[in-house]
């Protein structure tokens, strides 16, 4: 459930997140259950009462786990979008920041002010008619002030408005090929326009991005099934395929045998 830039999650069964690209900074708290966040640097587990801040322009997969006693997974997030932060920087005369080079996921669990603030958002989901654009804007300002008070070093985190810089394409793609995002997103994260991304990709891999991604994902699937005894139903989503039938068709076309019969 989303109202303006406020999001509330409540799920009673284990649920895989759909969006794998973090477009805007997000501040959130886990009210019950657990959130497992899968990144190219490993898995981060957010337990009940965990508070975290994740930086924009990140690739991440998530899994929501309800509690074992039957209580649902619940979480509240507020998105700190670039337009709101630019407005804040203008109002409070914040100088231009250098490119941020710190951690991309910040643990803020011990901050009681942020806990109280995030829990104060819950009534707006029960009464969405009370949430106006003005209140949403005020809540965003309040969140930013609390973050800067908790960690003044977050000035660079929040107010670095630079786009991703151009990085090593080969290393990035080999590390992130399992993320199911558009070529536009891959291009942006490597600091390129889509046209430049496609051109550099062909120079690097001697293949188109779409064909290379499919081959790379299928090769990884073959390895996991043949060598690690993984079941196709357990891995196809993790490898970037949208459904099992498409995965099975592509696998058989590539290797001449169904993944179920390997």
């Amino acid at each position: 459930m989303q109202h303006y830039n406020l999001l509330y999650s409540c799920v009673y069964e284990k649920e895989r997140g759909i969006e794998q690209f973090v477009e805007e900074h997000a501040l959130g708290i886990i009210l019950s259950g657990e959130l497992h966040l899968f990144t190219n640097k490993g898995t981060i587990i957010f337990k009940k009462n965990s508070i975290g801040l994740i930086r924009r322009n990140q690739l991440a997969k998530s899994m929501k786990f309800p509690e074992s006693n039957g209580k649902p997974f619940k979480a509240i997030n507020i998105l700190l979008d670039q337009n709101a932060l630019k407005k804040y920087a203008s109002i409070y005369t914040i100088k231009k920041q250098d490119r941020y080079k710190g951690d991309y996921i910040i643990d803020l669990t011990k901050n009681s002010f942020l806990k109280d603030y995030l829990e104060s958002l819950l009534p707006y989901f029960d009464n969405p008619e009370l949430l106006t654009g003005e209140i949403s804007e005020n809540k965003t300002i309040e969140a930013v002030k609390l973050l800067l008070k908790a960690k003044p070093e977050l000035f660079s985190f929040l107010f670095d408005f630079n786009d991703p810089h151009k990085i090593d394409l080969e290393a990035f793609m080999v590390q992130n090929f399992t993320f199911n995002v558009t070529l536009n997103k891959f291009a942006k994260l490597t600091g390129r326009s889509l046209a430049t991304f496609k051109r550099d990709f062909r120079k690097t891999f001697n293949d188109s991005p779409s064909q290379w991604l499919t081959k790379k994902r299928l090769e990884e699937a073959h390895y996991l099934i043949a060598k690690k005894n993984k079941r196709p139903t357990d891995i196809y989503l993790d490898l970037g395929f949208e459904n099992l039938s498409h995965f099975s068709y592509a696998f058989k076309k590539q290797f001449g045998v169904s993944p179920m019969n390997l």
Side-chain angles (χ1 to χ4, degrees):
M1 180 189 303
Q2 179 172 358
H3 297 290
Y4 292 95
N5 60 331
L6 307 183
L7 292 84
Y8 174 65
S9 296
C10 179
V11 298
Y12 286 85
E13 296 180 355
K14 185 172 77 170
E15 181 177 284
R16 179 186 295 269
I18 297 174
E19 179 58 58
Q20 300 188 342
F21 178 70
V22 181
E23 192 115 25
E24 302 286 1
H25 304 318
L27 171 66
I29 184 171
I30 308 301
L31 301 174
S32 62
E34 287 186 1
L35 177 72
H36 292 197
L37 198 65
F38 308 100
T39 74
N40 58 26
K41 295 181 179 179
T43 301
I44 302 172
I45 298 176
F46 293 96
K47 297 186 177 182
K48 181 179 178 179
N49 294 323
S50 293
I51 299 173
L53 176 68
I54 183 169
R55 185 166 163 76
R56 68 188 178 102
N57 292 334
Q58 297 301 307
L59 291 172
K61 305 173 187 178
S62 65
M63 187 73 76
K64 300 170 184 176
F65 292 87
E67 295 187 3
S68 58
N69 59 11
K71 289 185 178 180
F73 167 89
K74 292 183 179 181
I76 296 174
N77 289 276
I78 179 167
L79 303 180
L80 308 175
D81 66 87
Q82 294 296 281
N83 289 334
L85 290 171
K86 287 178 181 178
K87 185 175 181 179
Y88 185 102
S90 176
I91 293 172
Y92 294 96
T93 320
I94 295 174
K95 65 179 183 180
K96 184 178 179 181
Q97 300 293 305
D98 293 332
R99 189 179 293 277
Y100 180 74
K101 298 179 181 178
D103 293 334
Y104 279 60
I105 300 177
I106 310 293
D107 184 357
L108 298 162
T109 302
K110 295 181 180 180
N111 191 289
S112 59
F113 291 101
L114 284 169
K115 183 177 186 295
D116 290 343
Y117 160 77
L118 288 163
E119 289 179 344
S120 76
L121 301 176
L122 193 55
Y124 290 106
F125 296 103
D126 295 327
N127 305 277
E129 70 279 0
L130 299 179
L131 182 61
T132 64
E134 181 180 2
I135 290 177
S136 175
E137 185 174 334
N138 289 336
K139 286 295 182 181
T140 301
I141 291 173
E142 185 180 356
V144 174
K145 287 184 175 180
L146 286 171
L147 286 169
L148 295 177
K149 184 176 181 179
K151 287 183 173 290
E153 60 268 29
L154 289 176
F155 269 96
S156 180
F157 183 108
L158 295 170
F159 301 109
D160 166 17
F161 300 121
N162 296 296
D163 288 329
H165 61 285
K166 196 170 185 178
I167 61 174
D168 185 305
L169 180 63
E170 182 174 11
F172 180 86
M173 293 305 301
V174 168
Q175 194 173 36
N176 295 285
F177 69 90
T178 63
F179 287 95
N180 183 19
V181 297
T182 65
L183 295 185
N184 275 316
K185 298 285 177 60
F186 278 131
K188 180 177 183 178
L189 290 170
T190 60
R192 293 163 169 83
S193 67
L194 180 59
T196 302
F197 173 78
K198 289 180 177 179
R199 185 183 68 241
D200 290 352
F201 198 100
R202 186 165 287 280
K203 287 181 179 178
T204 303
F205 295 103
N206 195 32
D207 207 346
S208 71
S210 296
Q211 291 176 331
W212 182 87
L213 283 167
T214 298
K215 290 176 185 176
K216 187 72 174 175
R217 290 166 179 169
L218 289 172
E219 288 170 359
E220 182 68 11
H222 190 282
Y223 168 76
L224 291 174
I225 296 170
K227 303 297 184 181
K228 298 295 184 178
N229 296 317
K230 296 290 185 179
R231 295 186 301 177
T233 52
D234 293 336
I235 64 170
Y236 75 95
L237 287 173
D238 292 335
L239 293 176
F241 291 93
E242 293 185 359
N243 58 68
L244 183 59
S245 61
H246 174 243
F247 166 68
S248 299
Y249 173 81
F251 191 98
K252 186 173 183 178
K253 183 178 180 181
Q254 176 78 8
F255 300 110
V257 61
S258 167
M260 313 295 184
N261 300 325
L262 190 63

